[in-house]
C-alpha cells in the first residue's frame, strides 16, 4: 500500500534520443517517482501486435501480445447507472491455464490504487498461475483510469508535464514551507480536474468492482475468482459485498482496513502504519545477527547510535535525523539525495525482505562515507528496470484514493498537517510524514465520487473467502485482516502468515504457499486460526525452490510486480 506513484506515467515510448536520455536523468532526480521509491512494477509498452490477427472466443477477441500472452479489451460504461453513458475499453491480458481441467478466469489486482493488472500478469503471471496449480486463466485488467484503461492524463504532453514537475519534490522535507509545497498540489489537482471533469467521479473503487462484475459476465461465468494484493484487498472486500451472490474463490492478501480506507484519510494513515517501525527494528536486529559478511551495516564500531541493546536501527534513525539538515551529494553526478529520499528507501525496504542486503549496502555507503552514490545507484537500477522513459505523466493513485476516502476531520492544510504530525509521533516517525506528504493532494482533489461503497462488510456471501494478514507487514498490519474477518461475520477465514514484508510475498513461506494452493486448486479453506511460521531468516537463509516448483527468485519477481499499496 501506499507506495504511490503520483507522477509516474505510463506511456509507450522507449528512450529515443540524446535529449530524452538527459530528460531521464532529470526525471530520476526530480521525481524519484518511478521504480523503487514508489514500489511499482509497471512497464507498459503497447502490446506489439504484428499483423494483429485476433481470434474470437466467447465475447472476446484475443490478440497475441508481449510474446506469450493474449490481450483483449472489454467495453464498459463510464457510468453504470446511466444507460446512455459514454463507454471506454478496459485493457485485459490473459495467461492461459496450463493444467486441465481449467477452472476459468482468476482476476488479479496488484494493489496501488493505480496498479496495472496487465503489467502484473506480464511480469509475474506465471508465478501466480503456478501458485494456484495452473488451473486458472490468469486475467489482469487495468482498473479504470489506470495505464491503458482510459488513463487520466493531466498535461497536454510530456514537455508540459516536465516543466511543471521540474524541481518539485514529492515530499515535504524538514524545513520546507508547507504552503509552498501545498500550492503546487493545488495547481496540479486543478489541472487534472480541468482536463478530466466528466470521468474523475467514476473512478472510485465501487465502479472498479462493477467492472469486475462486467468482466465475470462477459467471460460467461456464474462466479468470480479473484486474488487481490494490498489495495486489491479493499477492491475485493468491496466487490464481494456489492455482489455477494457472485463470490467464487477470493483471496485478499495483505488486508487494509476497509473502514479507514473508505473513511478519514489521516485515520487510514494511522491504522496502516502501526508496524512500520517494527519493520525497521527487525531490519536492524536481523542485520546485527547476520554480521558484516551478510549485512553491510553490521559494524558496531561505526554506529552513530546505540540504544543499550541495538545499534543498526538506532543508527539509521540518527542518520535520517541528521540528513534532514545535511542532505547528500552524489559523487560524479549532479544528483542529490534528500532526507526524504533516504527515508523512502528504507520505508520501501520494509516491504520486501529480499531487498534488505542491498538497502543496507546503500545506507552503509552513505553513513560511513557520506556519499549518496549507493542510494543513487540503487534508485537508478530500479528505475531502469521498471520505469521506462515516459513522455507524459499521469496521476494514478490519487484520483481513486482521494474519492474513496475523505478528509472531513482535517479540512485545511494546518489541520491536516497536525493530524499527520500526530501520526508521526504516535505511529510511525519514518512513514507517516511520507504518506502524509503524498496524500496532501487529497485536500485539493475537489471531486466527489459518483458512487462509494463504505460497507456494511458482512453481506452473506455465496462462498466464504480467504484473508491473509502478515505479522510484520509495514503497511497492511495483521490487525486489519483480523478486523476484516470480524467485520465479515463468518463469511471469511483469516490465515496468519508470520513474516516480514508486505503481503504473503514479502517473505514467502512454503507453508503459506501450500495454503494458497490448497484453496485455489482444491477449494479447501484453511481452518479457523490457521497460521504459518516464518521459515527463513532475513539476510541469511532463503529457499532455492518451493514445493510447488517455484523458485525464490520467481517469488521475488512477484513481490516486485506488486504495487505498494
Ligand atoms: C473498444 O475496442 C474495440 C476493439 O478494438 C473497438 O472496436 C471499440 O470501438 C472500442 N470502444 C471504445 C469506446 O473505444
Ligand atoms: C458474453 O456476454 C454476455 C453478456 O455480457 C453473457 O451473457 C454471455 O454469457 C457471454 N458469452 C460467453 C460465451 O462468454
Ligand atoms: C482548519 O480546520 C480546522 C478543523 O478541520 C478548524 O478548526 C480551523 O478553524 C480551520 N482553520 C482555518 C484557518 O480555516
Amino acid at each position: 500500500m501506499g507506495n504511490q506513484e503520483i507522477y509516474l506515467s505510463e506511456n509507450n515510448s522507449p528512450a529515443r534520443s540524446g535529449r530524452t536520455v538527459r530528460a531521464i536523468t532529470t526525471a530520476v532526480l526530480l521525481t524519484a517517482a518511478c521504480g523503487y521509491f514508489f514500489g511499482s512494477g509497471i512497464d507498459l509498452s503497447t502490446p506489439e501486435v504484428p499483423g494483429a490477427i485476433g481470434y474470437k472466443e466467447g465475447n472476446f477477441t484475443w490478440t497475441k501480445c508481449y510474446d506469450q500472452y493474449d490481450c483483449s479489451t472489454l467495453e464498459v460504461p463510464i457510468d453504470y447507472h446511466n444507460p446512455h453513458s459514454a463507454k471506454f475499453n478496459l485493457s485485459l491480458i490473459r495467461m492461459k491455464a496450463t493444467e486441465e481441467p481449467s477452472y476459468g478466469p482468476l482476476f488479479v489486482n496488484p494493489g496501488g490504487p493505480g496498479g496495472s493488472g496487465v503489467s502484473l500478469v506480464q511480469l509475474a503471471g506465471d508465478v501466480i498461475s503456478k501458485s494456484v496449480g495452473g488451473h486458472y486463466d490468469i486475467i489482469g485488467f487495468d482498473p479504470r483510469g489506470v495505464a491503458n484503461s482510459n488513463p487520466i492524463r493531466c498535461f497536454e504532453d510530456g514537455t508540459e508535464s516536465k516543466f511543471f514537475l521540474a524541481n518539485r519534490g514529492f515530499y515535504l522535507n524538514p524545513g520546507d514551507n508547507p504552503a509552498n509545497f501545498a500550492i503546487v498540489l493545488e495547481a496540479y489537482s486543478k489541472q487534472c480536474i480541468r482536463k478530466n471533469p466528466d470521468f474523475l467521479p467514476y473512478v472510485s473503487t465501487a465502479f472498479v468492482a462493477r467492472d469486475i462484475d462486467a468482466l465475470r459476465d462477459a467471460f460467461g461465468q456464474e462466479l468470480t475468482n479473484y486474488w487481490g494484493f494490498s489495495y486489491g484487498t479493499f477492491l475485493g472486500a468491496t466487490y464481494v459485498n456489492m455482489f455477494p451472490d457472485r463470490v467464487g474463490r477470493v483471496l485478499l492478501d495483505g488486508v487494509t482496513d476497509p473502514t479507514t480506507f473508505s473513511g478519514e484519510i489521516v485515520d487510514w494513515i494511522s491504522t496502516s502504519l502501526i508496524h512500520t517501525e517494527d519493520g525497521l527494528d527487525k531490519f536492524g536486529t536481523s542485520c546485527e545477527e547476520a554480521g558484516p559478511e551478510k549485512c553491510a551495516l553490521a559494524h558496531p564500531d561505526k554506529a552513530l547510535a546505540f540504544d543499550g541493546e541495538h545499534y543498526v536501527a538506532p543508527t539509521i534513525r540518527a542518520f535520517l535525523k541528521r540528513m534532514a539538515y545535511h542532505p547528500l551529494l552524489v559523487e560524479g553526478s549532479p544528483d542529490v539525495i534528500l532526507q526524504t529520499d533516504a527515508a523512502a528507501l528504507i520505508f520501501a525496504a520494509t516491504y520486501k525482505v529480499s531487498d534488505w542486503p542491498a538497502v543496507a549496502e546503500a545506507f552503509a555507503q552513505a553513513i560511513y562515507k557520506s556519499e549518496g552514490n549507493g542510494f543513487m545507484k540503487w534508485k537508478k537500477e530500479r528505475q531502469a528496470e521498471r520505469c521506462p522513459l515516459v513522455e507524459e505523466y499521469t496521476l494514478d493513485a490519487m484520483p481513486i484514493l482521494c474519492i474513496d476516502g475523505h478528509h472531513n476531520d482535517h479540512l485545511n492544510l494546518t489541520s491536516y498537517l497536525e493530524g499527520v504530525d500526530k501520526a508521526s509521533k504516535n505511529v510511525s516517525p519514518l512513514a507517516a510524514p511520507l504518506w502524509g506528504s503524498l496524500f496532501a493532494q487529497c485536500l485539493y482533489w475537489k471531486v466527489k465520487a459518483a458512487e462509494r461503497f463504505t460497507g456494511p462488510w458482512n453481506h452473506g456471501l455465496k462462498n466464504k473467502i480467504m484473508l491473509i494478514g502478515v505479522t510484520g507487514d509495514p503497511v497492511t498490519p495483521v490487525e486489519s485482516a483480523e478486523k476484516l474477518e470480524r467485520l465479515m461475520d463468518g463469511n471469511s477465514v483469516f490465515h496468519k502468515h508470520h513474516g516480514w514484508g508486505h503481503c504473503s510475498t514479502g517473505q514467502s513461506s512454503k507453508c503459506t504457499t501450500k495454503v494458497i494452493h490448497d484453496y485455489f486448486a482444491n477449494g479447501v479453506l484453511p481452518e479457523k486460526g490457521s497460521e504459518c511460521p516464518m521459515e527463513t531468516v532475513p539476510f541469511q537463509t532463503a529457499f532455492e525452490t518451493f514445493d510447488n516448483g517455484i523458485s525464490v527468485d520467481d517469488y521475488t519477481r512477484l513481490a516486485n510486480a506488486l504495487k505498494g499499496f
Side-chain angles (χ1 to χ4, degrees):
M1 270 188 163
N3 271 354
Q4 311 308 335
E5 214 151 354
I6 16 182
Y7 298 147
L8 168 57
S9 101
E10 298 319 332
N11 212 339
N12 314 328
S13 342
R16 280 195 212 102
S17 64
R19 213 183 80 208
T20 23
V21 169
R22 204 164 54 241
I24 301 182
T25 323
T26 321
V28 169
L29 172 67
L30 296 178
T31 68
C34 298
Y36 184 84
F37 281 75
F38 293 85
S40 160
I42 299 193
D43 166 23
L44 289 173
S45 29
T46 311
E48 330 83 48
V49 273
I53 303 164
Y55 58 97
K56 201 154 165 60
E57 207 173 78
N59 289 303
F60 295 99
T61 299
W62 296 99
T63 309
K64 285 272 160 237
C65 61
Y66 310 113
D67 296 338
Q68 46 174 326
Y69 303 101
D70 308 312
C71 287
S72 190
T73 55
L74 179 69
E75 209 174 69
V76 293
I78 289 178
D79 180 4
Y80 282 91
H81 306 292
N82 170 5
H84 307 295
S85 169
K87 298 190 165 189
F88 69 96
N89 274 316
L90 288 174
S91 171
L92 307 175
I93 190 170
R94 176 178 71 181
M95 173 162 181
K96 274 278 218 187
T98 56
E99 300 293 325
E100 297 285 339
S102 169
Y103 301 159
L106 170 63
F107 301 110
V108 293
N109 178 279
S116 156
V118 172
S119 62
L120 171 63
V121 172
Q122 204 186 320
L123 294 168
D126 58 322
V127 187
I128 295 173
S129 175
K130 278 188 214 158
S131 300
V132 299
H135 289 290
Y136 294 84
D137 290 343
I138 309 301
I139 308 292
F141 63 98
D142 288 343
R144 48 175 58 210
V146 172
N148 285 317
S149 294
N150 208 28
I152 297 159
R153 304 236 183 257
C154 299
F155 296 99
E156 286 304 319
D157 54 28
T159 311
E160 188 180 271
S161 68
K162 279 183 188 118
F163 271 103
F164 180 82
L165 294 169
N167 293 318
R168 286 168 180 161
F170 289 96
Y171 300 115
L172 191 55
N173 272 279
D176 287 354
N177 174 344
N180 290 348
F181 178 79
I183 193 111
V184 175
L185 299 180
E186 185 169 0
Y188 191 29
S189 297
K190 284 204 152 133
Q191 163 78 0
C192 294
I193 294 165
R194 193 157 50 230
K195 287 196 53 115
N196 308 274
D198 301 329
F199 184 49
L200 290 176
Y202 299 94
V203 302
S204 59
T205 298
F207 283 103
V208 182
R210 292 191 182 281
D211 289 336
I212 293 178
D213 206 58
L215 284 167
R216 175 200 58 72
D217 188 42
F219 275 95
Q221 302 293 306
E222 284 288 300
L223 301 179
T224 296
N225 305 308
Y226 173 82
W227 185 352
F229 298 91
S230 196
Y231 156 77
T233 67
F234 180 74
L235 173 56
T238 299
Y239 177 80
V240 300
N241 281 287
M242 283 176 70
F243 300 96
D245 297 337
R246 297 301 186 179
V247 177
R249 292 176 190 168
V250 171
L251 169 57
L252 308 185
D253 187 345
V255 174
T256 195
D257 180 339
T259 62
T260 56
F261 186 80
S262 60
E264 163 63 48
I265 194 159
V266 174
D267 292 345
W268 178 63
I269 293 176
S270 305
T271 54
S272 296
L273 302 176
I274 56 180
H275 294 309
T276 318
E277 300 295 321
D278 298 338
L280 174 51
D281 287 332
K282 182 67 184 178
F283 175 94
T285 54
S286 312
C287 173
E288 290 160 15
E289 283 157 21
E293 297 273 287
K294 300 212 158 101
C295 178
L297 284 170
H299 292 281
D301 49 314
K302 300 186 195 166
L304 304 179
F306 178 64
D307 67 6
E309 234 181 305
H310 296 290
Y311 62 92
V312 172
T315 292
I316 290 174
R317 290 193 176 99
F319 174 70
L320 289 175
K321 213 168 255 170
R322 190 173 83 188
M323 257 196 102
Y325 295 96
H326 300 90
L328 289 177
L329 290 171
V330 177
E331 197 55 39
S333 137
D335 295 319
V336 296
I337 302 289
L338 304 181
Q339 190 257 3
T340 45
D341 293 328
L345 179 62
I346 188 72
F347 176 33
T350 62
Y351 284 49
K352 276 179 286 163
V353 168
S354 58
D355 281 344
W356 289 9
V359 172
E361 193 85 49
F363 271 87
Q365 193 171 355
I367 294 170
Y368 303 155
K369 299 187 190 148
S370 298
E371 277 177 12
N373 297 57
F375 292 126
M376 209 56 222
K377 180 176 145 278
W378 216 66
K379 199 157 133 182
K380 278 191 170 148
E381 248 169 43
R382 308 299 295 212
Q383 196 133 26
E385 194 178 287
R386 296 174 166 185
C387 188
L389 174 71
V390 290
E391 297 286 340
E392 227 178 295
Y393 291 86
T394 67
L395 196 153
D396 56 5
M398 295 308 150
I400 304 162
L401 186 77
C402 297
I403 67 173
D404 272 1
H406 62 73
H407 53 89
N408 295 348
D409 298 344
H410 301 92
L411 291 174
N412 52 52
L413 185 64
T414 311
S415 154
Y416 175 80
L417 290 177
E418 278 166 13
V420 170
D421 211 40
K422 222 175 182 178
S424 304
K425 288 203 176 74
N426 300 337
V427 185
S428 176
L430 172 67
L434 299 173
W435 276 21
S437 293
L438 294 174
F439 307 156
Q441 184 94 47
C442 293
L443 294 176
Y444 310 102
W445 198 257
K446 307 277 184 208
V447 176
K448 199 169 167 317
E451 182 180 15
R452 282 171 74 218
F453 187 84
T454 58
W457 306 98
N458 61 349
H459 284 86
L461 309 184
K462 178 102 181 175
N463 288 290
K464 278 190 197 191
I465 69 166
M466 175 169 159
L467 313 178
I468 294 183
V470 178
T471 53
D473 195 307
V475 282
T476 53
V478 67
E479 286 82 351
S480 297
E482 285 163 344
K483 177 172 175 184
L484 181 57
E485 186 189 39
R486 279 195 308 277
L487 289 172
M488 289 185 73
D489 228 348
N491 285 287
S492 63
V493 177
F494 160 61
H495 168 73
K496 186 188 275 187
H497 172 84
H498 288 264
W500 297 89
H502 181 35
C503 304
S504 70
T505 50
Q507 184 183 2
S508 310
S509 73
K510 293 185 182 182
C511 175
T512 290
T513 54
K514 182 167 183 316
V515 171
I516 293 172
H517 178 274
D518 286 350
Y519 177 52
F520 279 115
N522 307 323
V524 179
L525 273 166
E527 303 279 319
K528 183 145 180 62
S530 169
E531 291 189 41
C532 280
M534 200 171 337
E535 297 171 3
T536 57
V537 180
F539 287 106
Q540 300 197 54
T541 55
F543 314 117
E544 298 283 305
T545 51
F546 288 78
D547 298 340
N548 52 15
I550 304 177
S551 75
V552 71
D553 290 346
D554 287 337
Y555 269 113
T556 303
R557 183 155 50 82
L558 174 56
N560 288 339
L562 301 182
K563 178 155 195 279
F565 174 48

